Amino acid sequence: MKHVTTALLSLVFLLAACAAPGRVVSEETFLDKDLSSLELVDVALAAPEFAGPSGGLLAPAMRVAGRRYLIDVKDFAVMADAATDTALAGGTIDGPAAAKAAGADALIAIRVTNWDTSELLPRGFAFASGTVTAWASRDGRRVFEHAFENVRMTTPGQVTGATYADTEIALVGDLARRVLASFPRKKPR
């Protein structure tokens, strides 16, 4: 019995050591109760807003991954990035007006408000916080929102200085897929 207790205590301490102190992980998803009444066939994916010094490099990678996921897994037609960018030219994404301007059935906006890679080289993970919001163009209402706080993204292997940039881009792609996972699939016709 003493060995079992010692093993359990060791496991608890090991798990505590792996956890990031002071980080509370949370994810919440909102789906509009009338979402099923909307016929969402095509969507527009706005250029992600990405906080941090590497946001200019990571936002395009996140958009590509999100676009592929919406097409391959969720079965949506996704407007071309250039068409979406032209429709939203120069303005911040204010939701309802942007959804109508985009010309698709819905506009999806990803905002990463925190991208913490301080543990990427030493331990192989990063943390992300932000939101994914979708507005229906028909009436401009918010039909979906997924908020995430301190979500931990883990690398499959060791990170080195030489692989750092590629690893960060891969993690951003994983994040895009993860935060879009709760967005409903296109209804079959």
Side-chain angles (χ1 to χ4, degrees):
M1 183 69 173
K2 184 176 181 181
H3 294 292
V4 172
T5 303
T6 304
L8 286 174
L9 284 174
S10 296
L11 180 62
V12 168
F13 285 119
L14 179 63
L15 290 174
C18 291
R23 291 190 190 265
V24 176
V25 179
S26 70
E27 291 188 72
E28 292 183 32
T29 301
F30 161 81
L31 286 172
D32 186 282
K33 63 182 177 29
D34 295 326
L35 182 61
S36 61
S37 69
L38 296 174
E39 177 124 7
L40 299 180
V41 175
D42 59 342
V43 297
L45 181 60
E49 294 177 17
F50 208 100
S54 53
L57 296 172
L58 297 177
M62 178 173 243
R63 191 178 200 184
V64 167
R67 177 183 184 75
R68 289 278 20 119
Y69 185 79
L70 289 167
I71 292 169
D72 296 343
V73 176
K74 299 296 182 169
D75 296 324
F76 285 102
V78 180
M79 282 183 59
D81 293 346
T84 301
D85 293 346
T86 299
L88 304 177
T92 58
I93 300 167
D94 75 345
K100 288 182 183 192
D105 296 323
L107 172 71
I108 301 171
I110 302 174
R111 290 183 174 102
V112 178
T113 56
N114 184 38
W115 178 249
D116 179 358
T117 58
S118 60
E119 297 292 331
L120 190 54
L121 268 175
R123 298 175 75 188
F125 54 85
F127 293 95
S129 300
T131 59
V132 178
T133 308
W135 298 273
S137 61
R138 182 177 74 186
D139 55 10
R141 75 174 185 251
R142 178 182 65 134
V143 293
F144 169 83
E145 187 164 85
H146 181 80
F148 53 99
E149 186 76 28
N150 293 316
V151 168
R152 181 174 158 167
M153 305 304 298
T154 305
T155 64
Q158 185 176 3
V159 181
T160 66
T163 63
Y164 187 91
D166 290 337
T167 301
E168 194 174 13
I169 288 171
L171 286 178
V172 165
D174 291 344
L175 178 63
R177 291 181 284 277
R178 179 174 178 167
V179 299
L180 288 169
S182 55
F183 190 73
R185 286 177 62 108
K186 182 181 89 173
K187 288 190 283 187
R189 290 187 149 206

